[in-house]
């Protein structure tokens, strides 16, 4: 088993590395060209510090600074929820991005390179996948892409809502931070060799949820900020309106003793970061018993986010661009409580995440997932209710939304691919975690390029350095091909099967097919009939559940 250590490959600069200075107008940043052929610029400020009057406000352009700024260290992470004291690597001043590019980008005769902008996950409550090193993906692309990763505001800093915020601030600021990055890319990425007219979004979990929101932003308005998207484990959480989210604002005002202030928002803005962070905790959602896994989330604001995601895509209010959606086999295992002892416990867990679930909904879920509970395979430190409940949660929040998205794009005539990632790791199979949520990130970025700490992420499964190492070039081939050509097949790894579009595979007739990904067994598969039936039901109640 791997020890819990942290990889920082981006921080080690070869002795022969030469500095590269890029002038962004508001600041100059000195990056470094590494011996592996990749240049990197870490910790570039893309927006003004969101402090003081800019707390709970939309991102603003950064101020001009003199001199050349060193770009050899990542910027701090944005402050997570339920974490106090403030971690040493986190700050409210956190709006920074990293750029990775081939060293030879300055050649005047070179064609501009495709751009990959990656939106990390974390449930909109933390920056959950930070500091990934782009070197391996760039090398897998034959030095044909530029990569941008970034931090964005989460928790109340990015998603506090309510009348006061709407009147004298801005809602959905975490999503607006992402748009700020995309505007920065349009203005500056050519200075790193990138093509602003060929930008592909990538994202996992909440980052993939953000992709669906950006695809449907402003009712699907095309602002020319990106041109294709690859979403991993797109997360469909409940969504409130600005007014419905007032309870979270009111709770925060009470916990910070701002409730007696004549201007409660001004009071919140006047608090020092430590005081605000101490009160930054999750409470139960209205109608639930216990706090959800992720408390803060984007809200329906009748502007950037006009409606529920399911309804937006059902009604065709989204951009028609090439897309990839997909999931892992066991989306729910990392999230679901292991000590569930009854059907009532399973219902309570699900209702804590989706308070709009009714007894009618739960009865149908019981039929699909919990009726054969006593035949469930036992796993360590868990009850028989764990895996069936995790299956329900995984399909409700992740897998069925991905199927719905692929279907919406295929029906709209846009190129749409879907995948089922099922690479088996012996230790994870034995523990019951199985092919867990966003584990495919290890294959896309390369396990040696991941980052984790005691509170964020986890080490790559040991098999990705051994028996499953062969899946890495396969995944990187599909992903870099999509980034370069808007098609995962054009530059796919030699010997990899052709990835057919959703509904356009060997059976034809619009039958849904996806790429089944497993070491040595990657192939096209039809979605099983029983999963199609479950997803048809869960998708049909999506708007009722405010997804």
């Amino acid at each position: 088993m791997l020890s819990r250590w942290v990889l920082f490959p981006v921080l080690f600069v070869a002795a022969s590395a030469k500095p590269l200075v890029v002038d962004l107008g508001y600041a100059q940043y000195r990056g470094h060209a590494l011996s592996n052929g990749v240049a990197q610029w870490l910790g570039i400020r893309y927006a003004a510090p969101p402090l003081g009057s800019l707390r709970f406000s939309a991102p603003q352009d950064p101020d001009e600074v003199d001199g050349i700024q060193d770009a050899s260290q990542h910027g701090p992470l944005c402050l997570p929820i339920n974490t106090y004291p403030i971690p040493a690597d986190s700050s409210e001043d956190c709006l920074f991005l990293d750029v990775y590019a081939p060293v030879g980008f300055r050649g005047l005769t070179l064609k501009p390179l495709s751009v990959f902008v990656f939106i990390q996950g974390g449930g909109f409550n933390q920056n959950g996948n930070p500091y990934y090193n782009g070197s391996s993906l760039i090398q897998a692309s034959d030095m044909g892409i530029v990569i941008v990763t970034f931090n964005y505001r989460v928790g109340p800093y990015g998603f506090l809502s309510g009348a006061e915020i709407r009147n004298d601030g801005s809602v959905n600021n975490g999503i607006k931070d992402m748009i700020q990055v995309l505007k920065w890319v349009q203005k500056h990425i050519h200075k790193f060799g990138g093509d602003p007219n060929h930008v592909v979004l990538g994202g996992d979990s909440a980052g993939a949820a953000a992709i669906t929101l950006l695809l449907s932003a402003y009712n699907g308005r095309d602002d020319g900020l990106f041109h294709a998207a690859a979403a991993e484990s797109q997360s469909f959480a409940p969504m409130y309106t600005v007014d419905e989210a007032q309870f979270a604002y009111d709770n925060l005002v009470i916990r910070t003793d701002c409730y007696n202030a004549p201007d409660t928002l001004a009071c919140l803005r006047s608090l020092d970061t430590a005081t605000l962070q101490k009160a930054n905790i999750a409470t139960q959602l209205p109608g639930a018993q216990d706090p959800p896994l992720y408390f803060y989330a984007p809200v329906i604001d009748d502007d950037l986010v006009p409606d529920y995601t399911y309804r937006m895509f059902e009604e065709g209010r989204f951009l028609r661009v090439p897309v990839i959606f997909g999931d892992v086999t066991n989306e729910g295992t990392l999230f679901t409580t292991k000590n569930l002892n009854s059907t009532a416990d399973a219902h309570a867990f699900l209702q804590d995440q989706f308070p709009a679930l009714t007894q009618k909904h739960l009865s149908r879920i019981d039929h699909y997932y919990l009726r054969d509970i006593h035949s469930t395979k036992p796993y360590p430190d868990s009850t028989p209710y764990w895996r069936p409940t995790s299956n329900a949660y995984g399909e409700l929040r992740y897998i069925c939304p991905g199927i719905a998205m692929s279907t919406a794009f295929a029906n709209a005539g846009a190129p749409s691919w879907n995948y089922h990632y099922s690479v088996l790791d012996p230790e994870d199979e034995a523990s019951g975690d199985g092919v867990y949520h966003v584990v495919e990130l290890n294959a896309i970025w390369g396990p040696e390029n991941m980052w984790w700490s005691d509170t964020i992420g986890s080490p790559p499964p040991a098999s990705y350095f051994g028996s499953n190492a062969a899946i890495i070039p396969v995944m990187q081939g599909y992903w870099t091909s999509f980034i370069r050509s808007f098609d995962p097949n054009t530059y796919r790894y030699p010997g990899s099967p052709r990835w057919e579009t959703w509904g356009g595979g060997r059976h034809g007739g619009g039958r849904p097919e996806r790429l089944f990904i497993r070491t040595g067994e990657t192939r096209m598969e039809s979605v099983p009939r029983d999963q199609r039936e479950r997803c048809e039901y869960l998708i049909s109640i999506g708007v009722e559940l405010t997804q």
Side-chain angles (χ1 to χ4, degrees):
M1 181 69 180
L2 288 175
S3 62
R4 200 169 186 82
W5 43 277
V6 181
L7 292 172
F8 286 99
V10 295
L11 300 183
F12 297 105
V13 180
S16 61
K18 60 181 180 179
L20 297 172
V21 176
V22 173
D23 189 349
L24 302 177
Y26 62 90
Q28 297 181 69
Y29 283 91
R30 179 188 292 111
H32 292 275
L34 308 182
S35 58
N36 63 7
V38 175
Q40 59 186 26
W41 292 259
L42 310 180
I44 294 176
R45 188 181 292 280
Y46 69 84
L51 308 175
S53 63
L54 293 184
R55 180 184 281 171
F56 312 128
S57 296
Q60 303 297 309
D61 290 338
D63 294 331
E64 293 186 9
V65 294
D66 295 328
I68 297 176
Q69 312 300 307
D70 179 63
S72 62
Q73 300 288 331
H74 300 290
L77 300 176
C78 297
L79 294 174
I81 192 172
N82 293 331
T83 307
Y84 186 83
I86 295 173
D89 59 356
S90 301
S91 171
E92 192 174 358
D93 181 10
C94 62
L95 301 184
F96 298 91
L97 58 78
D98 299 335
V99 179
Y100 302 87
V103 169
F105 78 92
R106 287 174 178 260
L108 297 179
T109 61
L110 293 178
K111 178 183 176 182
L113 303 177
S114 306
V115 180
F116 184 51
V117 179
F118 180 72
I119 308 173
Q120 61 179 304
F124 297 118
N125 285 253
Q126 69 172 4
N127 290 158
N129 314 105
Y131 306 153
Y132 287 179
N133 186 307
S135 293
S136 184
L137 267 178
I138 290 174
Q139 291 169 325
S141 73
D142 295 327
M143 309 308 254
I145 65 175
V146 174
I147 295 175
V148 178
T149 62
F150 63 96
N151 298 332
Y152 58 91
R153 285 174 287 177
V154 292
Y157 307 95
F159 295 100
L160 189 65
S161 191
E164 294 83 355
I165 300 287
R166 176 177 53 199
N167 294 338
D168 191 26
S170 173
V171 299
N172 290 321
N173 290 317
I175 304 299
K176 291 173 182 176
D177 291 344
M178 300 172 193
I179 294 174
Q180 179 81 358
V181 169
L182 292 173
K183 291 179 177 178
W184 183 97
V185 166
Q186 287 299 306
K187 187 173 183 179
H188 298 296
I189 203 64
H190 71 279
K191 300 169 186 175
F192 301 85
D195 184 355
N197 297 310
H198 189 119
V199 177
V200 177
L201 288 186
D204 68 296
S205 196
I211 286 175
T212 66
L213 296 175
L214 292 168
L215 286 164
S216 57
Y218 306 110
N219 281 308
R221 187 179 79 196
D222 188 358
D223 291 336
L225 298 179
F226 63 95
H227 312 95
E232 307 164 52
S233 301
Q234 51 295 303
S235 172
F236 278 31
M239 297 180 69
Y240 293 104
T241 65
V242 173
D243 291 337
E244 290 169 341
Q246 185 72 43
F247 76 94
Y249 180 89
D250 294 342
N251 287 348
L252 187 60
V253 165
I254 292 170
R255 289 197 301 274
T256 54
D257 292 328
C258 282
Y259 59 93
N260 285 325
D263 185 335
T264 56
L265 181 55
C267 179
L268 288 178
R269 283 174 166 156
S270 71
L271 297 174
D272 63 86
T273 303
T275 299
L276 181 57
Q277 183 64 10
K278 191 173 184 178
N280 182 12
I281 61 174
T283 62
Q284 66 267 31
L285 301 175
Q289 297 180 30
D290 294 303
L293 292 162
Y294 301 104
F295 182 71
Y296 288 98
V299 295
I300 296 171
D301 60 10
D302 300 319
D303 184 36
L304 170 59
V305 183
D307 208 337
Y308 300 122
T309 304
Y310 267 129
R311 183 178 286 157
M312 295 287 290
F313 284 85
E314 287 170 1
E315 296 180 355
R317 291 183 278 165
F318 59 90
L319 290 178
R320 272 66 168 171
V321 297
V323 289
I324 291 173
F325 293 100
D327 294 272
V328 302
T329 303
N330 306 114
E331 286 285 1
T333 51
L334 295 187
F335 305 109
T336 306
T337 305
K338 286 195 170 185
N339 62 349
L340 303 173
N341 291 304
S342 65
T343 301
D345 286 349
H347 289 177
F349 169 78
L350 293 172
Q351 285 183 311
D352 287 341
Q353 320 312 320
F354 295 91
L357 281 168
T358 66
Q359 283 304 122
K360 180 180 178 181
H361 299 142
L362 292 168
S363 177
R364 190 74 170 266
I365 288 172
D366 289 348
H367 168 74
Y368 285 132
Y369 300 97
L370 298 173
R371 60 180 173 177
D372 297 321
I373 196 73
H374 296 295
S375 64
T376 302
K377 179 180 177 180
Y379 288 101
D381 305 317
S382 65
T383 71
Y385 289 87
W386 172 55
R387 280 294 288 262
T389 306
S390 76
N391 292 340
Y393 179 71
E395 291 194 335
L396 175 60
R397 183 155 185 162
Y398 300 105
I399 295 174
C400 298
I403 287 174
M405 293 298 96
S406 291
T407 301
F409 276 86
N411 289 344
S416 173
W417 292 268
N418 190 285
Y419 70 87
H420 167 199
Y421 189 83
S422 191
V423 174
L424 304 178
D425 175 79
E427 292 186 15
D428 292 328
E429 290 301 305
S431 72
D433 288 342
V435 188
Y436 57 80
H437 183 65
V438 302
V439 69
E440 78 273 28
L441 287 168
N442 293 283
I444 293 172
W445 292 86
E448 72 281 5
N449 295 299
M450 309 296 285
W451 185 95
W452 66 90
S453 69
D454 288 338
T455 58
I456 300 173
S458 60
S463 64
Y464 282 71
F465 296 96
S467 60
N468 281 318
I471 203 63
I472 297 167
V474 173
M475 285 292 281
Q476 291 186 335
Y478 287 127
W479 248 252
T480 57
S481 178
F482 185 74
I483 294 166
R484 296 168 68 187
S485 69
F486 304 150
D487 186 326
N489 297 294
T490 309
Y491 303 106
R492 69 184 187 272
Y493 187 69
S496 302
R498 181 174 180 80
W499 188 348
E500 303 290 351
T501 54
W502 182 259
R506 63 186 184 278
H507 297 294
R511 184 170 176 177
E513 286 195 319
R514 61 193 179 191
L515 186 69
F516 176 83
I517 302 169
R518 180 176 291 173
T519 306
E521 302 178 39
T522 300
R523 64 185 186 278
M524 294 302 298
E525 70 169 10
S526 296
V527 179
R529 183 185 298 255
D530 59 339
Q531 187 173 67
R532 293 205 307 270
E533 180 182 342
R534 295 192 300 270
C535 283
E536 285 173 4
Y537 174 69
L538 294 178
I539 293 168
S540 75
I541 64 172
V543 172
E544 294 177 51
L545 302 187
T546 71
Q547 291 177 287

